[in-house]
Amino acid sequence: MTQSVTVPDPHGAEKTTRENAERGFIASDALTKNLQTVLVDFIALSLTAKQAHWNIVGTNFRDLHLNLDEVTDIARAGSDEIAERMRALHASPDGRPAVIAEQTGLPEFPNGEISTHDAIDHMVASIEATVASMRDCHDEVDSADPTTADIFHSYIAQLEQQAWFISAETRTPK
């Protein structure tokens, strides 16, 4: 059964009007777009990690089950911090489900039960895609707003550590 997603209009992040807003730095269209891209992937990563968490079966189930909650926590904290950063810069984050489904760069996670080893491969790919989103726009973000780039640095480090933790389960020594 093929399902389609209807993305509501307007979709994507927009600048806010500054009615009664404090003075300060205002995100450019490019910065807003980059933050929206990262926000979408953080939200998608949190959903993917929970999908895996609920459906994994097999060897080392409990360890991976708990590790996936750590990934979920990082992704949720990241999405909240990015969305709140957008608001601080007078941009409106868009985290509606249809927008996430259409705009995420993460690979599709399989439905139903999945072996721990297959889930590891899928989760590492999703984590790496989220990190890639931040790295792809990092230089542009850094030149526009070094403070936001600092936020990226923290989450890149945390997610790369999680990718290492999770992938170590199926790696063999060289």
Side-chain angles (χ1 to χ4, degrees):
M1 179 168 140
T2 303
Q3 295 180 348
S4 62
V5 174
T6 303
V7 178
D9 244 348
H11 63 280
E14 297 179 1
K15 282 188 179 178
T16 63
T17 58
R18 293 197 61 207
E19 236 176 80
N20 300 319
E22 63 283 347
R23 298 195 195 310
F25 181 75
I26 299 173
S28 66
D29 290 340
L31 180 57
T32 298
K33 180 182 175 291
N34 285 326
L35 286 168
Q36 177 67 22
T37 297
V38 172
L39 173 66
V40 162
D41 283 352
F42 267 126
I43 294 170
L45 180 62
S46 72
L47 296 171
T48 298
K50 272 312 206 185
Q51 179 69 16
H53 172 87
W54 296 320
N55 287 293
I56 58 169
V57 294
T59 307
N60 294 327
F61 162 83
R62 180 139 172 85
D63 290 336
L64 182 57
H65 185 78
L66 295 173
N67 203 167
L68 290 167
D69 272 340
E70 292 177 28
V71 173
T72 301
D73 290 345
I74 292 167
R76 286 179 176 167
S79 64
D80 194 49
E81 189 164 3
I82 294 297
E84 289 179 357
R85 182 70 183 151
M86 290 176 75
R87 293 299 298 148
L89 301 181
H90 310 287
S92 291
D94 193 346
R96 295 173 294 168
V99 172
I100 303 308
E102 180 180 88
Q103 294 180 359
T104 187
L106 272 61
E108 183 71 25
F109 194 87
N111 188 26
E113 285 189 345
I114 183 169
S115 74
T116 51
H117 286 193
D118 289 342
I120 286 167
D121 293 340
H122 286 287
M123 280 308 306
V124 170
S126 292
I127 292 168
E128 289 175 346
T130 305
V131 169
S133 289
M134 285 185 280
R135 287 190 179 278
D136 287 346
C137 65
H138 175 274
D139 289 348
E140 190 174 357
V141 168
D142 191 38
S143 69
D145 182 27
T147 303
T148 298
D150 287 346
I151 294 169
F152 282 16
H153 299 155
S154 171
Y155 286 101
I156 288 170
Q158 291 177 67
L159 290 174
E160 286 177 340
Q161 183 182 48
Q162 289 300 317
W164 166 53
F165 286 167
I166 293 170
S167 68
E169 179 70 35
T170 56
R171 290 187 56 230
T172 56
K174 293 182 181 183

